[in-house]
Amino acid sequence: MVEYADYTFYTDTFHGSTIPEAAFSSVILRASVYVKYITFGRIEDTEIPEEVRLAACEVSEVMYKADAEGEQKEKKSETVGNVSVSYVTEQQDGQTREAAAAKKQYAAAYPYLIHTGLLYRGCR
């Protein structure tokens, strides 16, 4: 599997600063797999368009933030008598955490890929 961007592209072209270099390789690999999935494997590994690289960087930031938020949850409310704690979440009632994450990842990649034809779901 080809990583669609490297850390130099992330910092210089995308101007990202959220992901530290030590964690970037792991996150960009997962983001590249996701971008390849939503583009139905249409991206050739030899010549990767800049839009794909930018989308991978954006998705990697979403994934990194989701991983970090999983470790630090913000309390929405807390009851002391009979102990009840509620945490702030972005998912709707009945929606799984994975479905909410996939929705955010797709929304992050969409602006970069919409005019490339890579998101087209029909046959050519």
Side-chain angles (χ1 to χ4, degrees), residues 28-48:
I28 196 66
L29 180 62
R30 291 188 298 139
S32 297
V33 168
Y34 181 76
V35 170
K36 187 171 187 171
Y37 165 73
I38 65 171
T39 58
F40 308 100
R42 293 187 184 127
I43 302 164
E44 295 182 25
D45 294 341
T46 55
E47 195 172 316
I48 302 166

Side-chain angles (χ1 to χ4, degrees), residues 12-89:
D12 295 346
T13 306
F14 184 73
H15 303 291
S17 61
T18 304
I19 306 170
E21 189 170 5
F24 185 77
S25 181
S26 171
V27 178
I28 196 66
L29 180 62
R30 291 188 298 139
S32 297
V33 168
Y34 181 76
V35 170
K36 187 171 187 171
Y37 165 73
I38 65 171
T39 58
F40 308 100
R42 293 187 184 127
I43 302 164
E44 295 182 25
D45 294 341
T46 55
E47 195 172 316
I48 302 166
E50 186 175 35
E51 292 89 352
V52 171
R53 293 179 188 273
L54 292 168
C57 288
E58 189 71 41
V59 171
S60 67
E61 283 197 342
V62 169
M63 288 179 168
Y64 182 77
K65 288 176 186 175
D67 292 345
E69 287 173 3
E71 296 169 3
Q72 300 174 341
K73 294 185 177 181
E74 180 182 346
K75 287 184 182 179
K76 184 162 112 179
S77 66
E78 182 174 0
T79 307
V80 178
N82 289 335
V83 184
S84 173
V85 179
S86 298
Y87 294 99
V88 175
T89 62

